[in-house]
Amino acid sequence: MTSIAAVTLEVTDTAAADRFYTNAFGLDGQIRLRASDAPTTGFRGFTMALTVSQPSTVDSLVDAALAEGATSLKPVTKSFWGYGGVVQAPDGTIWKVATSAKKDTGPATRRIDEVVLLLGVADVVASKRFYVEQGHVVGKSFGRVYVEFAAGTSPVKLALYRRRALAKDVGVSPDGTGSHRLVIGGDAGGTDPDGFTWEAASAVTGSARP
């Protein structure tokens, strides 16, 4: 089964980004960083999501991100689906932190249960076909709206969402040009229908998260 081995964010200042991700989220191994000045404007076509177990964990992670210089795109709030908020890291990457729980069931923690890479795509069906042909196994599928692939032992789960719907979900315009500022490491290389680049895991370079 094909899966993600590493997600590399291309950033202008790797040292600053490293400090942010260490202090804000405490990620270890899921994210790599690579220096890049590739032109990019507006929505980069993807978001990262952190799924956690309870509202106090959402608050803890979002508050830490804001304290480290992130910008709030959607303040933390309750909704019919749970509790969550959206921030944009200083390097430009958009992060959603959420839980399906509406009440705390234990002590406050900073534990992250799942890291998800959501790719905003023009045609969910076409992109789904591409990834299935590459060996990805569908875990959940909701027609032309959303597809989630089985993660197996991968540290990051992959999902596809319509680009406009994804942008609306995180509170930004869907417009954007230039580089995605993202490289996905997996079992094979290649470029998907929306221009997201995959590299063989052994070829992915960049500083690993401490």
Side-chain angles (χ1 to χ4, degrees), residues 141-153:
S141 182
F142 298 93
R144 297 181 175 273
V145 179
Y146 178 84
V147 175
E148 185 178 286
F149 297 98
T153 59

Side-chain angles (χ1 to χ4, degrees), residues 4 12 31 41 45 49 59 62 69 72 88 108 192 197:
I4 295 175
T12 302
I31 301 298
T41 62
D59 290 333
V62 170
S72 176
Q88 187 167 29
D192 80 359
T197 300

Side-chain angles (χ1 to χ4, degrees), residues 33-85:
L33 303 171
R34 177 185 296 177
S36 174
D37 288 315
T40 184
T41 62
F43 183 45
R44 296 178 185 174
F46 77 95
T47 66
M48 301 296 302
L50 304 177
T51 303
V52 301
S53 63
Q54 58 185 12
S56 62
T57 305
V58 173
D59 290 333
S60 177
L61 293 171
V62 170
D63 288 348
L66 295 175
E68 291 296 323
T71 301
S72 176
L73 296 180
K74 278 192 171 183
V76 172
T77 186
K78 286 184 180 179
S79 69
F80 71 91
W81 52 261
Y83 186 84

Side-chain angles (χ1 to χ4, degrees), residues 1 13-15 17 42 46 48 70 99 120 124 132 143 149 154 178 188 190-191 194 196 199:
M1 182 178 70
D13 187 334
T14 56
F46 77 95
M48 301 296 302
T99 178
V124 171
V132 168
F149 297 98
S154 171
T191 302
D194 294 273
F196 290 101
E199 291 183 357

Side-chain angles (χ1 to χ4, degrees), residues 65-138:
L66 295 175
E68 291 296 323
T71 301
S72 176
L73 296 180
K74 278 192 171 183
V76 172
T77 186
K78 286 184 180 179
S79 69
F80 71 91
W81 52 261
Y83 186 84
V86 182
V87 299
Q88 187 167 29
D91 66 80
T93 303
I94 295 173
W95 292 81
K96 182 175 183 177
V97 186
T99 178
S100 59
K102 296 185 179 181
K103 295 182 179 180
D104 289 337
T105 56
T109 73
R110 285 172 51 81
R111 177 180 173 181
I112 296 169
D113 297 326
E114 191 173 68
V115 180
V116 184
L117 168 62
L118 293 106
L119 302 182
V121 302
D123 185 332
V124 171
V125 173
S127 293
K128 173 184 174 182
R129 184 183 309 115
F130 170 86
Y131 281 109
V132 168
E133 290 173 352
Q134 298 299 312
H136 292 263
V137 175
V138 174

